[in-house]
């Protein structure tokens, strides 16, 4: 069976509604036959299994995906026509950019910077790689990420545009399981690995490692929150422990 990305519209309550127990019960009584409607508007056939997907925080048309390969695939959903889910024999869509650099599979660790056109990835080769997509604006035009005319010209090329990392961060000794960019500082990110390390990276300093914590737990997920104090830059880092088998 083909692997694919499904892009859908879903009916949800209006933003700002408070769903306490009483209101929820009222809605259930009045709309007991109404369920959220999921309307699939686009299907992109993916080259290999989709392990994780992250969207561009500044432009929702752009998404990044990881499969079981070493590469990261970048997609502009506006450039891929609707494909019915029933057509499983058709060939996979071609990503708009292929981010290369990992020497082994990189199935899960992936994030898109919230304040810059930058993507980070971690993999079994123990590396954290950073690609800065702005670097390619000079060859494709000042508005590369937003200019559909130039993007269409790329699409006609026989091969995809391959991008190589700007930064290669070394500090883990085993697989990098997950990573997360700082919400308001494009130079900082955190990562966790099978070596039970939590590393805070700052690409502005020479060592790149701003802080390193060794834990007694096998961690699989990490997330940096928005600033926790209004008058100071203070962040909370959340980690999820692997479930014991």
């Amino acid at each position: 069976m083909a692997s694919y990305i499904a892009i859908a519209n879903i009916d949800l309550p209006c933003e700002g509604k408070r769903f306490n127990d009483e209101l929820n019960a009222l809605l259930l009584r009045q709309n007991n036959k109404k369920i959220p409607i999921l309307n699939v508007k686009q299907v992109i056939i993916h080259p290999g299994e989709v392990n994780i997907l992250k969207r561009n925080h500044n432009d929702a048309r752009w998404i990044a995906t990881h499969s079981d390969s070493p590469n990261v695939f970048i997609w502009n959903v506006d450039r891929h026509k609707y494909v019915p889910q029933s057509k499983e024999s058709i060939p996979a869509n071609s990503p708009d950019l292929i981010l290369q650099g990992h020497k082994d599979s990189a199935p899960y660790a992936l994030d898109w910077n919230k304040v810059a056109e930058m993507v980070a990835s971690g993999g079994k080769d123990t590396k954290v790689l950073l690609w800065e997509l702005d670097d390619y604006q000079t060859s494709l035009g000042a508005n590369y990420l937003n200019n559909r005319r130039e993007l269409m010209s790329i699409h006609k090329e026989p091969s995809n545009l391959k991008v190589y990392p700007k930064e290669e961060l070394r500090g883990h000794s085993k697989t990098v399981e997950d990573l997360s960019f700082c919400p308001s500082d494009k130079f900082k990110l955190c990562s966790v690995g099978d070596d039970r390390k939590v590393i805070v990276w700052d690409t502005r300093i020479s060592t790149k490692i701003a802080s390193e914590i060794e834990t007694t737990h096998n961690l699989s997920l990490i997330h940096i929150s928005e600033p926790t104090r209004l008058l100071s830059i203070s962040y909370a880092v959340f980690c999820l422990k692997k479930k014991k088998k």
Side-chain angles (χ1 to χ4, degrees):
M1 188 173 73
S3 298
Y4 56 85
I5 302 167
I7 300 168
N9 293 326
I10 185 170
D11 289 342
L12 292 174
C14 296
E15 184 178 354
K17 273 192 174 182
R18 298 182 58 187
F19 280 87
N20 53 36
D21 293 339
E22 293 180 2
L23 181 55
N24 190 44
L26 176 64
L27 289 173
L28 289 175
R29 286 197 299 271
Q30 292 181 346
N31 303 293
N32 55 357
K33 294 183 179 180
K34 185 177 180 181
I35 60 173
I37 298 174
L38 184 67
N39 179 25
V40 176
K41 66 176 185 178
Q42 185 179 7
V43 173
I44 297 173
I45 307 300
H46 194 273
E49 182 177 346
V50 183
N51 290 328
I52 191 170
L53 181 152
K54 292 293 180 80
R55 70 176 180 87
N56 185 325
H57 298 272
N58 303 310
D59 189 342
R61 296 174 301 170
W62 289 86
I63 57 177
T65 59
H66 255 324
S67 64
D68 289 330
S69 80
N71 299 325
V72 179
F73 299 133
I74 304 295
W75 307 83
N76 181 338
V77 297
D78 279 357
R79 295 187 54 227
H80 298 273
K81 294 181 179 180
Y82 173 82
V83 178
Q85 298 183 51
S86 58
K87 294 184 178 180
E88 297 179 357
S89 60
I90 63 175
N93 291 78
S94 297
D96 300 294
L97 295 173
I98 298 178
L99 310 187
Q100 296 188 328
H102 283 296
K103 303 302 182 184
D104 203 342
S105 63
Y108 300 112
L110 180 67
D111 200 15
W112 205 308
N113 198 296
K114 296 176 178 62
V115 293
E117 297 299 345
M118 186 180 295
V119 173
S121 167
K124 290 186 177 181
D125 57 5
T126 73
K127 301 175 185 176
V128 172
L129 302 181
L130 276 69
W131 294 267
E132 193 166 286
L133 303 186
D134 282 338
D135 289 349
Y136 291 81
Q137 291 185 12
T138 53
S139 59
L140 298 173
N143 297 316
Y144 161 63
L145 287 178
N146 298 310
N147 192 319
R148 293 188 64 184
R149 185 181 304 171
E150 291 180 7
L151 286 169
M152 289 304 294
S153 69
I154 299 171
H155 192 59
K156 295 176 183 176
E157 293 296 327
S159 62
N160 301 99
L161 183 61
K162 297 175 182 179
V163 184
Y164 297 94
K166 182 177 182 179
E167 296 278 0
E168 183 177 300
L169 307 180
R170 295 177 177 268
H172 288 287
S173 57
K174 293 184 178 180
T175 300
V176 180
E177 288 285 348
D178 196 22
L179 51 81
S180 177
F181 274 108
C182 177
S184 59
D185 189 337
K186 71 175 185 179
F187 300 103
K188 293 182 179 179
L189 65 157
C190 286
S191 62
V192 293
D194 284 345
D195 53 6
R196 299 183 176 182
K197 289 182 181 179
V198 177
I199 299 179
V200 179
W201 307 90
D202 188 336
T203 59
R204 292 168 296 189
I205 63 178
S206 58
T207 61
K208 308 299 182 184
I209 298 177
S211 180
E212 183 177 323
I213 303 171
E214 292 194 19
T215 73
T216 58
H217 304 293
N218 291 319
L219 303 175
S220 61
L221 293 173
I222 191 167
H223 175 72
I224 306 178
S225 75
E226 296 292 338
T228 56
R229 297 185 181 93
L230 295 177
L231 299 179
S232 64
I233 301 177
S234 179
Y235 302 94
V237 177
F238 301 91
C239 298
L240 183 65
K241 186 168 63 173
K242 282 186 178 180
K243 185 178 180 180
K244 293 182 179 181
K245 296 182 180 180

